[in-house]
Amino acid sequence: QEVDMQAQAEGIRTVFSDPTNFNVKHPLYSPWTLWFDSPATKGRNLPQTPISAFPQTPLPQTPGVAAAQGWMEDIKRVISFDSVEEFWGLYNNIIPPSQLPQKANYYLFKEGIIPAWEDEANKNGGKWSIQLPKDKNRANVDKMWLYTMLAAIGETFDPSPTTNGSNADSLITGVIVSTRPQFYRLSIWTRLAPSATEEDGLRERIEGVGRHFKTSVLGYADAAKLAGPLATEVEFLSHKDSEKKGKAAKKIII
Amino acid sequence: SNTKGIPAALPSALATARIIDDIGSVQYPEGILSPKPELNTNAKDGKFRYDRDFLLQFMAICKDKPDMLPPLDAIGLEPNDQSNLAI
């Protein structure tokens, strides 16, 4: 039996045992798509990019998504991937947030979900986000974005993505980094958002995502106060409340 | 005229490697951490979860540019300095 196990082990070559001739790769919990936009991608007649060239990008004909298409025209689909090895090949060949132009965004979303709140997977959800002053965080933002992506593709934001037998989908739909003249913003988009009326443990689960983001991904102490000039706490807002702009917005702050 | 989609190079190991279907059976070389087993206690259908320390180990190894990556300047994805110069 020992020989059998050894033979089996020898048949499997990961990148760690053979970086050029490996024969297995590590599948991700979900396939992901990276999108990008910046002022340079807007209104320019760029070569056709995969968003329009690839028919598998789902654009269901609902009014909301039709509206989102205008928004999506300026957002370029960079690539999709479904393994750990492919993620790193991509990561090692694109530029980090600190080198992006101003007003640029990376959107890393599960394949089939467009980075717009109109998407079926996003419309009942919300986002955790934090805003960080640029001058103090230029040296941190690349690592923060990397760790955010790793928690997303490793599926560790949501402590129990599969507990609800019926609902095998995890809460996370995508993550975003935005560069602005004075600050960076990191966001985690969720499929659902807790409402005031129903108490089904969802709020606890959403707060768990926010706490993991603040402490494990961003590296802050649980009780750290982060708000300041150009800076916010780690805060959650549903997409529906975001539309209301202020008044009725009920933020959750971690 | 229909040559655009034909890959020029031989398939990379990445293209031919198969998906791991039992993450617990993989033996890593000495010094390489396995994914934390508690993340995958009920894992099936290749739906594996990976902790950060495990994932970071690939960073220095998986450096090849993906075949499907478009030219970055074509989508306006260039480092800040260069895009300023280009304009």
Side-chain angles (χ1 to χ4, degrees):
Chain A
Q1 194 190 350
E2 199 171 308
V3 175
D4 284 350
M5 283 177 64
Q6 197 180 347
Q8 194 188 348
E10 279 169 2
I12 294 178
R13 297 191 307 273
T14 66
V15 285
F16 298 111
S17 53
D18 192 336
T20 51
N21 286 308
F22 55 96
N23 63 5
V24 294
K25 55 186 173 183
H26 292 76
L28 294 173
Y29 191 95
S30 300
W32 292 80
T33 301
L34 182 71
W35 309 75
F36 169 75
D37 75 350
S38 81
T41 67
K42 291 193 170 75
R44 261 173 50 181
N45 206 5
L46 293 162
Q48 194 177 46
T49 58
I51 178 181
S52 45
F54 278 55
Q56 74 262 30
T57 300
L59 294 169
Q61 292 310 308
T62 61
V65 171
Q69 283 183 30
W71 149 259
M72 290 303 296
E73 266 172 28
D74 290 328
I75 301 184
K76 305 300 166 192
R77 182 179 178 280
V78 180
I79 199 169
S80 295
F81 56 89
D82 60 8
S83 69
V84 175
E85 289 81 355
E86 287 166 290
F87 166 79
W88 286 108
L90 169 63
Y91 178 83
N92 282 319
N93 288 282
I94 56 167
I95 57 178
S98 65
Q99 290 177 41
L100 285 177
Q102 288 178 9
K103 300 184 196 169
N105 305 279
Y106 275 134
Y107 311 82
L108 181 64
F109 273 70
K110 287 184 176 162
E111 192 172 65
I113 303 176
I114 62 171
W117 63 262
E118 291 93 337
D119 192 284
E120 279 299 308
N122 293 322
K123 68 176 190 184
N124 297 316
K127 60 176 187 289
W128 281 107
S129 59
I130 183 172
Q131 187 176 301
L132 301 152
K134 209 168 192 174
D135 51 358
K136 287 186 202 153
N137 289 282
R138 223 177 283 271
N140 303 332
V141 69
D142 294 342
K143 190 168 152 187
M144 286 175 162
W145 171 239
L146 173 60
Y147 285 8
T148 298
M149 290 193 291
L150 294 181
I153 66 170
E155 204 64 71
T156 52
F157 270 124
D158 187 3
S160 52
T162 54
T163 42
N164 276 356
S166 60
N167 179 14
D169 289 329
S170 92
L171 272 179
I172 311 303
T173 61
V175 293
I176 303 175
V177 63
S178 306
T179 64
R180 296 295 179 267
Q182 307 278 348
F183 59 84
Y184 299 108
R185 190 187 302 112
L186 290 161
S187 307
I188 319 299
W189 283 34
T190 60
R191 203 174 288 273
L192 300 168
S195 72
T197 47
E198 54 177 345
E199 282 302 331
D200 53 0
L202 180 60
R203 185 181 168 110
E204 209 171 35
R205 201 169 154 208
I206 292 280
E207 287 183 358
V209 172
R211 198 164 290 114
H212 184 78
F213 182 42
K214 179 175 180 176
T215 58
S216 173
V217 173
L218 301 177
Y220 294 115
D222 205 1
K225 293 278 174 265
L226 306 172
L230 297 168
T232 67
E233 302 289 347
V234 175
E235 51 193 38
F236 183 88
L237 195 57
S238 74
H239 296 315
K240 281 175 183 147
D241 280 345
S242 296
E243 285 182 85
K244 293 177 192 162
K245 301 270 181 200
K247 273 190 184 171
K250 296 178 296 291
K251 283 178 182 162
I252 303 174
I253 292 170
I254 285 286
Chain B
S1 65
N2 200 6
T3 56
K4 278 184 198 165
I6 298 170
L10 288 169
S12 60
L14 202 50
T16 55
R18 65 184 171 81
I19 296 289
I20 291 168
D21 52 18
D22 178 6
I23 195 73
S25 73
V26 180
Q27 294 183 5
Y28 296 97
E30 208 177 329
I32 300 294
L33 301 166
S34 299
K36 283 185 184 156
E38 63 266 30
L39 291 174
N40 295 304
T41 40
N42 295 312
K44 52 184 178 187
D45 304 329
K47 286 206 165 276
F48 304 131
R49 301 165 65 207
Y50 304 106
D51 55 285
R52 184 168 74 211
D53 289 340
F54 174 74
L55 292 172
L56 283 169
Q57 299 175 112
F58 293 77
M59 182 164 24
I61 298 172
C62 301
K63 300 207 148 182
D64 288 349
K65 184 186 276 209
D67 297 338
M68 297 295 290
L69 191 64
L72 296 182
D73 55 352
I75 54 171
L77 182 41
E78 295 170 282
N80 202 3
D81 306 345
Q82 286 174 24
S83 64
N84 286 345
L85 283 175
I87 298 165

